[in-house]
Amino acid sequence: TKTPPVPNLLKKALKLESGSKMPQKDKVGKIKRAEVRKIAETKLPDLNCLKIESAISQVIGTAKSMGVELAD
């Protein structure tokens, strides 16, 4: 079975209705690296990468395109 799309997992983790309409200007929230890693581990079987680090960078890219910042 396929896992849910990354944007859905990000919205669920941050309890958001939707991402930002203008992600460069309007930020809708911050996500911790641990949460990003958890989402990446969930999605790893469906992504076209082998390493968890690659999956994490894909999730971070999706988060940025939604207007979500990475909190340290």
Side-chain angles (χ1 to χ4, degrees):
T1 60
K2 288 188 59 82
T3 56
V6 174
N8 291 358
L9 294 172
L10 287 167
K11 288 190 288 189
K12 188 175 177 182
L14 294 171
K15 298 175 179 63
L16 296 174
E17 289 291 317
S18 68
S20 175
K21 303 278 189 261
M22 298 173 60
Q24 291 80 15
K25 290 183 180 178
D26 302 328
K27 302 299 178 191
V28 292
K30 292 187 178 195
I31 191 164
K32 295 181 180 169
R33 189 168 286 277
E35 291 173 305
V36 170
R37 184 177 187 88
K38 189 170 140 190
I39 291 171
E41 288 170 352
T42 302
K43 286 297 291 182
L44 191 59
D46 291 341
L47 296 175
N48 58 349
C49 58
L50 301 175
K51 297 181 182 175
I52 189 68
E53 291 80 17
S54 302
I56 288 172
S57 67
Q58 287 185 19
V59 173
I60 290 172
T62 303
K64 285 182 180 179
S65 73
M66 291 175 62
V68 176
E69 291 181 311
L70 187 65
D72 291 332

